Amino acid sequence: MDAHHSKLGSVSGTCLCNAVSITLTEAAPLVDVCHCTMCRTWGGGPFMGVSGASFDLSGADHVTSYASSDWAERAFCKTCGTNLWYRFVPSDHYSFAAGLFDLGQSAEIEQQIFVDEKPTFYDFAQDTPMKTGAEIIAEAIAAGHTFDDEPSNQG
């Protein structure tokens, strides 16, 4: 994280029906945007995720998760359908739907991934790192993660 990007501290958010609430500690004001076909199918557009040092969850009995691959899980509120998080299983990394939280005016897009799957009908104005699906998979493998089968370029 750049020196000019300070942590937001704790931020809390809820699903649409308030059955699930999530509090992120040491939330970064940085949003990752995923353009993969699966994220766009899941939410109707790109997935925009934020992370923190840790999180607290209440209303877990209202959460349903779906293993979208051997290495990815997507969770949503089973009452109202709000998308809650994407979890990269090999590293147990959670990326929470940015729209759940008030990130203030300092939040910025950190990077856009799976740009090779982004449709031509939208673009973001920010100048950010743009990584293809193959580049993201290569980064995960370089970090020591393995996959039971060769992952497609979707999570």
Side-chain angles (χ1 to χ4, degrees):
M1 182 179 312
D2 296 341
H4 71 282
H5 288 114
S6 61
K7 301 271 186 201
L8 293 173
S10 292
V11 293
S12 296
T14 66
C15 63
L16 286 172
C17 70
N18 295 314
V20 179
S21 81
I22 299 168
T23 299
L24 294 178
T25 58
E26 295 183 38
L30 301 170
V31 178
D32 285 340
V33 178
C34 183
H35 299 285
C36 81
T37 301
M38 198 172 293
C39 278
R40 288 184 293 107
T41 300
W42 180 40
F47 179 74
M48 298 183 203
V50 296
S51 299
S54 63
F55 69 93
D56 289 315
L57 171 71
S58 66
D61 54 327
H62 293 274
V63 175
T64 296
S65 64
Y66 170 69
S68 56
S69 70
D70 288 342
W71 46 280
E73 170 193 86
R74 296 161 191 274
F76 59 94
C77 174
K78 66 183 177 184
T79 303
C80 67
T82 299
N83 291 337
L84 301 170
W85 67 76
Y86 169 92
R87 181 172 72 101
F88 182 61
V89 175
S91 65
D92 198 33
H93 175 76
Y94 286 76
S95 183
F96 295 91
L100 298 173
F101 310 99
D102 179 0
L103 301 175
Q105 297 301 312
S106 64
E108 297 177 1
I109 294 175
E110 181 175 31
Q111 65 178 343
Q112 298 180 57
I113 62 172
F114 289 91
V115 295
D116 49 322
E117 296 183 32
K118 186 188 81 56
T120 58
F121 63 81
Y122 70 80
D123 288 299
F124 292 107
Q126 291 84 355
D127 183 18
T128 64
M130 305 279 279
K131 299 177 183 178
T132 66
E135 290 169 329
I136 291 299
I137 298 299
E139 286 180 8
I141 291 170
H145 301 295
T146 59
F147 301 92
D148 291 337
D149 55 1
E150 182 62 27
S152 69
N153 55 354
Q154 295 183 4

